[in-house]
Amino acid sequence: MNLSRIPFGKPFIVGKELFYIAQAVMSSSIAGDGAYTRKCQQWLEEHLKARKVLLTHSCTGALEMAAILAGIGPGDEVIMPSFTFVSTANAFVLRGGVPVFVDIRLDTLNLDERLVESAITEKTKAIVAVHYAGQPCAMEALKALCRKHGLRLIEDAAQAILAQSDGQALGTIGDLGCLSFHETKNIISGEGGALLINDPELIDRAEVIWQKGTNRKAFFRGEVDKYTWVDIGSSFLPSELTAAFLYAQLEQARRINAHRRSLYDRYMDLLTPLVREEHFALPINPGEHPENGHIFYLVCRSEEKRDGLIDHLRSQGISAVFHYVPLHDSPAGMRFGRTAGGLPVTERVSRCLVRLPLYSEMTVEQVRRVCQEIGAFFTADAASPSPY
Ligand SMILES: *Cc1c(COP(=O)(O)O)cnc(C)c1O
């Protein structure tokens, strides 16, 4: 039996990346907004049915653009989960906004839509829906709340490429959506991201912000006769080298997601018997929507069990990890944000969640070995005398 190490994750190279980069290098320019950038944007517009896509240097950059486009200024409140990556909050704090952290649902680990309305004040400007593990937030409910209270809906779809909610791609449902191509995600370019602009009224301004606050795009289209500074902005574009790499990945995106999804399904099949013995809880998929197999997690009964399981797996050469340290009780979260109500689910999940290895090159055999070790840990655990 091959007991080689099973890493937690591993960037997957599809094969054509260097070929496309070579083509970009041999073309006249490798700055941003060139041929490969346009190819990637078109691919995303077509496959996600997005109105307008701008490639960015990261999902963090796309979130920063979203904060500007949503008109967030000093004191404006933005409702979001605390169980998320720092960029979800930081992008708004950079504009002087105040993250208002609301608890998550135990089944999807997404924003609990039933708790959102009571967190809305006169200062609230936007809601950020983070689709954890590519699992959709309750978008209909969040959209209705935004309509009722005149708020912007922004999707942090960093983990959600090609995942859907009621037939619509995640990231294309709110006013703005943000994708990540960081090397830890399904489809990668080292660092990379995209802003999906679904409200047509935001498109022109998005292009200006993207191009350092200039009307460069309108100028090249011949719509204005001067190229000049017209608004705030920054350099949010990736270079053509990054876009060329990404294009090779996008061409294989559906295949990559399908394989990851099959690994995810295998984990589900093999671990379900242990759920019956109440050792841990598995993700609950409320609808039948094709997820993208980005993350596989389980939630242990206690922090001790969680740490014990991670240690046991490590001793067998398998690396599993946990996240997130909740933002609401991080030093910056306490300084810049506030909570609305208690966050008991967030706190429990962040203490008890384990992410299992899941990467594009992983095999079903490796999934089986991880599950065997999880079984061994809980069986040995059940056999030892209870401390109570
Ligand atoms: C990865 C991630 C980000 C940040 O993406 P980058 O491309 O690294 O900037 C933001 N939000 C969530 C939920 C993420 O998982």
Side-chain angles (χ1 to χ4, degrees), residues 3-17:
L3 286 186
S4 61
R5 224 178 68 75
I6 300 180
F8 168 69
K10 195 173 167 199
F12 180 57
I13 304 301
V14 302
K16 271 188 150 179
E17 289 88 347

Side-chain angles (χ1 to χ4, degrees), residues 57-73:
H57 53 67
S58 62
C59 181
T60 302
L63 286 161
E64 289 171 14
M65 287 184 69
I68 297 173
L69 287 164
I72 303 302

Side-chain angles (χ1 to χ4, degrees), residues 380-388:
D381 201 55
S384 63
S386 161
Y388 304 108

Side-chain angles (χ1 to χ4, degrees), residues 90-120:
N90 238 340
F92 297 91
V93 170
L94 279 170
R95 315 297 326 149
V98 178
V100 174
F101 300 113
V102 169
D103 210 4
I104 52 173
R105 295 165 54 126
L106 193 52
D107 54 359
T108 58
L109 310 192
N110 284 333
L111 204 54
D112 189 335
E113 70 282 3
R114 295 159 300 190
L115 304 177
V116 170
E117 190 156 29
S118 61
I120 296 173

Side-chain angles (χ1 to χ4, degrees), residues 57 120 126 132 144 151 185 254 284-285 291:
H57 53 67
I120 296 173
Y132 180 72
L151 312 177
K185 303 300 201 280
R254 290 192 185 275
I284 296 161
N285 309 324
E291 286 169 76

Side-chain angles (χ1 to χ4, degrees), residues 160-297:
I161 182 122
L162 291 168
Q164 298 188 347
S165 172
D166 293 327
Q168 272 184 286
L170 300 186
T172 67
I173 303 167
D175 297 300
L176 295 157
C178 305
L179 299 177
S180 175
F181 304 116
H182 185 263
E183 75 164 7
T184 52
K185 303 300 201 280
N186 288 19
I187 307 304
I188 64 175
S189 59
E191 303 282 350
L195 179 68
L196 317 188
I197 304 131
N198 309 317
D199 177 350
E201 288 181 7
L202 297 177
I203 293 175
D204 288 348
R205 185 160 191 233
E207 288 182 338
V208 167
I209 292 165
W210 190 59
Q211 286 276 14
K212 297 110 176 161
T214 70
N215 58 359
R216 189 172 196 275
K217 268 199 97 78
F219 177 69
F220 279 107
R221 281 198 297 257
E223 293 164 10
V224 292
D225 58 3
K226 284 194 297 289
Y227 165 34
T228 185
W229 183 23
V230 294
D231 199 345
I232 60 166
S234 188
S235 183
F236 287 109
L237 319 75
S239 95
E240 279 288 286
L241 302 179
T242 299
F245 188 106
L246 179 62
Y247 191 64
Q249 293 262 324
L250 288 173
E251 287 185 318
Q252 301 296 324
R254 290 192 185 275
R255 191 169 67 84
I256 290 170
N257 275 5
H259 179 62
R260 296 180 73 114
R261 177 66 209 213
S262 72
L263 299 170
Y264 180 103
D265 289 343
R266 206 81 253 258
Y267 267 130
M268 273 291 192
D269 294 346
L270 294 171
L271 293 176
T272 296
L274 290 167
V275 174
R276 280 187 217 114
E277 289 166 40
E278 298 188 2
H279 292 305
F280 49 75
L282 288 176
I284 296 161
N285 309 324
E288 24 80 58
H289 37 74
E291 286 169 76
N292 60 4
H294 177 57
I295 286 177
F296 190 89
Y297 68 87

